[in-house]
């Protein structure tokens, strides 16, 4: 079957899912929660999922979907500078063309962390095949603290390619409209089952934490650029433990900011900032904590926040649009300017905690997995 960038002879009822990230995070977890809805309605006779050969976690997580979903390990892998180099990644584009020729998809799903991911693949996708993008965020470059003079202009053409979008919250749908997107956008809200709840004293015992004192938790990738880890550590240093009192901080995760975090922790009183590698039991840390801190510069709809709210754990987060959609104003914190000690004290106020739990329940209860799966399926009818 010949494949050209502008034309393909598709096999009816075949969906090709393209993914080129080595990571397995919340976006992938949520996709795997939505995929059974698509399988159940038999919208497609064959679903082929192209996964980077080195992404062992995602490949293993797809095992239970066999034979409904066929895993196709491939050599496509995202790279820095993707939107600018997409026309020059000839080997990558060759791998995409081979997949297209082998599968002959009647629809294509792009699993993108940001719109520039899979840009090299998009450059060779046939125009006569509907393309749906599953996208967790669509911030402008300026909103991410970067110059948007060239970057946003280059990305605007990428935003125009999909025939439909699936996003995790209404805030991201608004971001897409800001980029000039006019095609259908389905909101499949991220949702989580309540994680296991362990009494705080028992969770701290299992983790080796002191029973006394307050514990503030950072849970996620140690990425200063996106997750704002530097903001948090600077705020802790700026406040000082004379004002922070008996608060301690635990950072759970791995990533490029680990060394920076270790150096910052070494300049603070011993034991007041602990750094822990990523764990398969984040629920224990959520149960041990008094508050979850999310100082992100940009974000989609984090599963960690939803899991914390499901446990009744307060969340102090940056005033981003996605957070504003779920959190009352008193729980939004500018980590670069606001008084961290005051915000933490507010988080321990019983009336405020109860108000947050009530507001979160009103917002999250309607966002069921069943509704998200239905929105996910609708996107393929809209494309």
């Amino acid at each position: 079957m010949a494949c050209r960038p502008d034309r393909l002879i598709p096999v009816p009822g075949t969906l090709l899912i393209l993914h080129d990230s080595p990571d397995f995070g919340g976006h992938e977890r949520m996709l795997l929660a939505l995929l059974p809805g698509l399988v159940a309605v038999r919208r497609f006779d064959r679903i082929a999922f192209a996964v980077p050969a080195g992404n062992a976690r995602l490949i293993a997580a797809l095992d239970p979907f066999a034979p409904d979903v066929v895993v196709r390990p491939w050599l496509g892998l995202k790279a820095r500078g993707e939107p600018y180099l997409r026309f020059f990644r000839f080997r990558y584009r060759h791998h995409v063309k081979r997949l297209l020729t082998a599968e002959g998809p009647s629809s294509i799903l792009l699993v993108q962390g940001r719109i520039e991911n899979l840009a090299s693949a998009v450059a060779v996708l046939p125009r006569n095949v509907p393309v749906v993008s599953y996208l967790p965020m669509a911030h402008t470059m300026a909103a991410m603290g970067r110059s948007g003079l060239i970057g946003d202009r280059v990305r605007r053409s990428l935003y125009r390619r999909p025939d439909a979008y699936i996003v995790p919250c209404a805030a991201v749908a608004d971001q897409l409209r800001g980029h000039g997107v006019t095609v259908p956008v389905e909101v499949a809200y991220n949702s989580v089952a309540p994680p296991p709840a362990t009494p705080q004293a028992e969770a701290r015992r299992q983790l080796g934490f002191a029973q006394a004192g307050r514990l503030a938790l950072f849970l996620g990738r140690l990425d200063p650029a996106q997750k704002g880890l530097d903001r948090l550590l600077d705020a802790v240093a700026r406040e000082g433990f004379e004002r922070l009192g008996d608060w301690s901080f635990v950072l759970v995760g791995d990533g490029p900011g680990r060394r920076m975090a270790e150096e910052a922790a070494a300049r603070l009183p011993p034991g007041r900032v602990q750094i822990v590698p990523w764990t398969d039991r984040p629920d224990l840390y959520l149960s041990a904590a008094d508050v979850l801190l999310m100082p992100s510069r940009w974000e989609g709809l984090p599963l960690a926040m939803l899991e914390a709210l499901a446990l009744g754990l307060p969340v102090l987060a940056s005033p981003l649009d996605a957070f504003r959609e779920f959190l009352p104003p008193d729980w939004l914190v500018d980590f670069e300017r606001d008084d961290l000690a005051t915000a933490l004290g507010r988080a321990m106020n019983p009336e405020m905690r109860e108000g947050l739990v009530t507001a979160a329940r009103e917002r999250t209860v309607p966002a069921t997995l069943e509704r998200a799966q239905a929105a996910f399926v609708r996107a393929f009818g809209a494309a």
Side-chain angles (χ1 to χ4, degrees):
M1 182 184 300
C3 169
R4 287 167 40 187
D6 60 340
R7 182 167 55 87
L8 176 74
I9 303 174
V11 177
T14 300
L15 172 66
L16 175 61
I17 303 176
L18 291 176
H19 182 279
D20 72 349
S21 171
D23 300 324
F24 182 86
H27 194 46
E28 287 76 16
R29 283 176 54 196
M30 197 61 218
L31 173 64
L32 296 183
L34 297 173
L35 204 51
L38 189 63
V39 171
V41 300
R42 297 297 170 186
R43 175 70 174 77
F44 298 99
D45 299 321
R46 173 180 169 83
I47 300 176
F49 200 135
V51 183
N55 195 332
R57 290 185 65 191
L58 180 53
I59 291 173
L62 285 166
D63 279 348
F65 289 89
D68 296 301
V69 178
V70 179
V71 175
R72 292 289 306 268
W74 74 307
L75 300 179
L77 202 61
K78 67 180 183 180
R80 294 179 63 87
E82 189 74 39
Y84 311 104
L85 300 177
R86 65 188 187 278
F87 297 113
F88 304 100
R89 298 192 66 194
F90 301 112
R91 182 169 296 182
Y92 182 110
R93 293 169 65 175
H94 173 70
H95 293 312
V96 175
K97 290 178 180 179
R98 288 185 62 185
L99 277 171
L100 293 169
T101 300
E103 297 296 337
S106 57
S107 293
I108 296 170
L109 174 64
L110 308 177
V111 183
Q112 300 172 280
R114 295 205 296 269
I115 196 65
E116 58 263 35
N117 299 144
L118 288 167
S120 297
V122 168
V124 296
L125 295 184
R127 287 287 175 181
N128 66 323
V129 176
V131 173
V132 177
S133 169
Y134 181 44
L135 190 69
M137 63 186 84
H139 302 284
T140 63
M141 299 299 288
M144 297 164 61
R146 304 175 185 177
S147 172
L149 185 63
I150 297 176
D152 283 331
R153 185 174 300 175
V154 169
R155 286 164 177 79
R156 186 169 287 267
S157 65
L158 298 177
Y159 281 112
R160 287 199 298 265
R161 176 58 185 95
D163 301 287
Y165 283 89
I166 305 165
V167 298
C169 62
V172 182
D174 291 340
Q175 293 167 12
L176 285 174
R177 299 307 182 199
H179 288 290
V181 169
T182 59
V183 300
V185 178
E186 290 289 346
V187 179
Y189 275 100
N190 281 359
S191 61
V192 297
T198 304
Q200 187 178 72
E202 174 59 18
R204 291 190 177 190
R205 185 193 68 78
Q206 290 189 38
L207 295 171
F209 294 154
Q211 294 294 333
R214 302 295 187 184
L215 190 67
L217 175 67
F218 174 97
L219 182 65
R221 181 170 168 78
L222 301 184
D223 180 355
Q226 179 189 353
K227 299 295 184 180
L229 183 61
D230 57 324
R231 285 176 160 180
L232 173 58
L233 293 169
D234 287 347
V236 172
R238 184 175 65 245
E239 295 282 320
F241 283 96
E242 296 80 8
R243 298 204 64 244
L244 291 170
D246 64 349
W247 281 97
S248 294
F249 298 81
V250 176
L251 317 179
V252 180
D254 296 301
R258 183 177 183 87
R259 183 171 182 179
M260 179 271 290
E262 291 171 342
E263 292 173 351
R267 294 191 292 268
L268 297 168
R272 301 304 292 271
V273 176
Q274 300 182 54
I275 304 166
V276 180
W278 184 250
T279 173
D280 291 331
R281 291 296 309 276
D283 57 285
L284 273 181
Y285 289 88
L286 291 169
S287 295
D290 293 292
V291 64
L292 178 67
L293 303 178
M294 306 200 76
S296 305
R297 288 186 170 86
W298 66 89
E299 198 66 80
L301 182 58
L303 300 187
M305 179 185 76
L306 299 178
E307 289 170 341
L309 294 175
L311 287 174
L313 179 68
V315 178
L316 290 172
S318 301
L320 303 178
D321 47 6
F323 292 148
R324 288 197 301 267
E325 191 176 343
F326 280 79
L327 300 174
D330 286 337
W331 296 93
L332 301 175
V333 177
D334 185 335
F335 284 84
E336 293 182 1
R337 296 176 177 84
D338 290 350
D339 187 309
L340 181 59
T342 299
L344 290 170
R346 196 164 62 237
M348 298 309 297
N349 182 295
E351 292 183 2
M352 289 198 62
R353 291 170 74 100
E354 182 58 32
L356 173 63
V357 170
T358 300
R361 186 180 298 118
E362 291 174 352
R363 190 66 195 85
T364 57
V365 166
T368 64
L369 178 59
E370 290 74 17
R371 289 183 178 181
Q373 289 178 339
F376 189 79
V377 171
R378 281 197 303 272
F380 293 94

